[in-house]
Amino acid sequence: MQFFDDSLHPENQDKVVITVAPYGPEWMPADFPEDIPVTMDEQVQKAVDCYEAGATVLHLHVRELDGTGSKRLSKFNELIAGVREAVPEMIIQVGGSISFAPEGEGEAAKWLSDDTRHMLAELTPKPDQVTVAINTTQMNIMELLYPEYLEGTSLANPAYQAAYSEMTVPAGPAWVEEHLRRLTANGIQPHFQLTGMHALETLERLVRKGAYKGPLNLTWIGIGGGFDGPNPFNFMNFVHRAPDGATVTAESLLKNVLPFNMMAMAMGLHPRCGIEDTIVGQHGQRMTSVEQIQQCVRVAHELGREVANGKEAREIYRIGVQYASIEETLLANGMSPNRRAGQKGVPQRA
């Protein structure tokens, strides 16, 4: 991305699109009973509360009545329908893992099978987005979950720690291309959850060969454990390399969430918050998803940026937009054209 002398002036920046992840599949309800919804009505109401606080993108997972993360697509259909009716303007973004939580103590923490995750393209009613990972990667979420923040929670259990330490993200080339084909064929926009520069580079190659022809909505994930670590230089390098026409959202964990959200909002980019990313604030206090959204809204206003409503967020994300050709996709996302046969130097637009 390019930054001009006045790129940090709020009048030259898009409105802030706040993503919230309020369902936190890695936690059990007893870990934070004040803020982890369990019944379907509670899960729908959580979406309403988050929207009213200022979030316009809902990163969605689902719980069963026993509090475990649901792996049943019928439950996703039920929650999507409830949220769509309650807050029709909210962008529904389904988490592409479905649920990575272990079935129980001693069970593995893992993303569901390739075929099962492909079925996210068939959800009814269909969501606006499904998150898509690029490249198979380690996802050891325990690496930076410090013990002092886990005390008294289910993640203090050594069995769960062992399970989450060995988790991987299965996102090989054949699966990614087929998943993108199915999602776009059904009018569902991929939201790319990128674990580092290697993933961004692979995504660019997919665009340049025509495997994906749509808007580039990107989330940089700085959580360590096989992903980029929460180092500002990692984030800045990602932003520097991201196409000019892409949107970029920052995601991190625990006390890194607020600093990266502030950096993102200062640069005209977008924040993500919610208990999937952190249950603590900068002073070690518990923070609900709604409180985290309210914090993002305050920071945005201090920076002079307005917060997007649902309609505006859809326009910024270009929900429902697909392109007819590789060249149109490159142009719309602010990328240089592909090299023509025999062309020397860096291809430029006329």
Side-chain angles (χ1 to χ4, degrees), residues 106-122:
E107 298 292 325
K110 61 182 180 181
W111 291 39
L112 296 194
S113 71
D114 289 359
D115 288 341
T116 302
R117 287 180 292 137
H118 280 324
M119 292 175 66
L120 291 174
E122 301 169 18

Side-chain angles (χ1 to χ4, degrees), residues 214-215 244-246 318 321 323 327-335 349:
D244 287 330
R318 293 171 283 176
V321 172
Y323 305 117
E327 177 59 25
E328 185 183 1
T329 306
L330 294 171
L331 178 63
N333 286 300
M335 302 167 72
R349 297 198 178 277

Side-chain angles (χ1 to χ4, degrees), residues 53-80:
T56 47
V57 180
L58 178 72
H59 184 74
L60 184 145
H61 293 280
V62 189
R63 286 187 188 272
E64 298 284 352
L65 284 175
D66 64 0
T68 59
S70 180
K71 303 179 189 296
R72 293 191 291 159
L73 296 186
S74 61
K75 298 295 286 185
F76 280 77
N77 290 335
E78 186 179 355
L79 181 54
I80 291 169

Side-chain angles (χ1 to χ4, degrees), residues 23-39 42 63-69 154 275 286:
Y23 299 114
E26 73 272 33
W27 306 107
M28 291 300 291
D31 296 336
F32 197 2
E34 308 94 307
D35 201 45
I36 296 181
V38 176
T39 70
E42 290 171 347
R63 286 187 188 272
E64 298 284 352
L65 284 175
D66 64 0
T68 59
S154 58
I275 62 167
R286 288 291 176 92

Side-chain angles (χ1 to χ4, degrees), residues 49 62 64 73 92 96 101 103 140 155 158 169 191 212 241 248 275 307 314 323 335 341:
D49 294 344
V62 189
E64 298 284 352
L73 296 186
I92 297 175
E103 297 279 5
N140 171 13
L155 288 182
V169 177
H191 188 108
Y212 174 66
R241 295 282 299 278
V248 174
I275 62 167
V307 175
R314 289 174 177 275
Y323 305 117
M335 302 167 72

Side-chain angles (χ1 to χ4, degrees), residues 16-218:
V16 178
V17 177
I18 299 175
T19 297
V20 65
Y23 299 114
E26 73 272 33
W27 306 107
M28 291 300 291
D31 296 336
F32 197 2
E34 308 94 307
D35 201 45
I36 296 181
V38 176
T39 70
M40 189 57 63
D41 286 346
E42 290 171 347
Q43 292 178 79
V44 171
Q45 186 60 47
K46 182 61 64 178
V48 173
D49 294 344
C50 289
Y51 185 78
E52 291 178 347
T56 47
V57 180
L58 178 72
H59 184 74
L60 184 145
H61 293 280
V62 189
R63 286 187 188 272
E64 298 284 352
L65 284 175
D66 64 0
T68 59
S70 180
K71 303 179 189 296
R72 293 191 291 159
L73 296 186
S74 61
K75 298 295 286 185
F76 280 77
N77 290 335
E78 186 179 355
L79 181 54
I80 291 169
V83 172
R84 184 74 77 213
E85 181 178 0
V87 275
E89 289 297 322
M90 197 170 206
I91 295 172
I92 297 175
Q93 178 192 94
V94 171
S97 68
I98 301 178
S99 174
F100 51 71
E103 297 279 5
E105 185 174 332
E107 298 292 325
K110 61 182 180 181
W111 291 39
L112 296 194
S113 71
D114 289 359
D115 288 341
T116 302
R117 287 180 292 137
H118 280 324
M119 292 175 66
L120 291 174
E122 301 169 18
L123 290 170
T124 305
K126 66 183 179 184
D128 300 291
Q129 295 184 323
V130 168
T131 61
V132 176
I134 304 288
N135 297 332
T136 297
T137 312
Q138 187 74 41
M139 188 181 176
N140 171 13
I141 67 171
M142 299 308 304
E143 189 172 79
L144 294 178
L145 288 179
Y146 301 117
E148 58 266 33
Y149 302 124
L150 303 181
E151 187 175 347
T153 74
S154 58
L155 288 182
N157 184 328
Y160 283 120
Q161 291 183 10
Y164 280 118
S165 296
E166 297 298 328
M167 183 165 58
T168 59
V169 177
W175 179 85
V176 168
E177 290 198 37
E178 177 63 17
H179 202 49
L180 292 175
R181 187 192 68 77
R182 294 192 190 198
L183 290 175
T184 54
N186 285 295
I188 299 172
Q189 185 184 81
H191 188 108
F192 296 100
Q193 299 276 90
L194 302 182
T195 60
M197 194 56 62
H198 62 91
L200 180 59
E201 290 175 342
T202 297
L203 177 57
E204 179 174 348
R205 295 178 192 119
L206 289 169
V207 171
R208 290 193 176 280
K209 73 176 188 178
Y212 174 66
K213 296 192 286 288
L216 290 178
N217 293 308
L218 316 176

Side-chain angles (χ1 to χ4, degrees), residues 93 102 104 135 195 238 243 256 272 291 324 343 350:
Q93 178 192 94
N135 297 332
T195 60
F238 184 93
N256 296 310
R272 173 174 143 148
E291 289 171 337
Q343 187 176 14

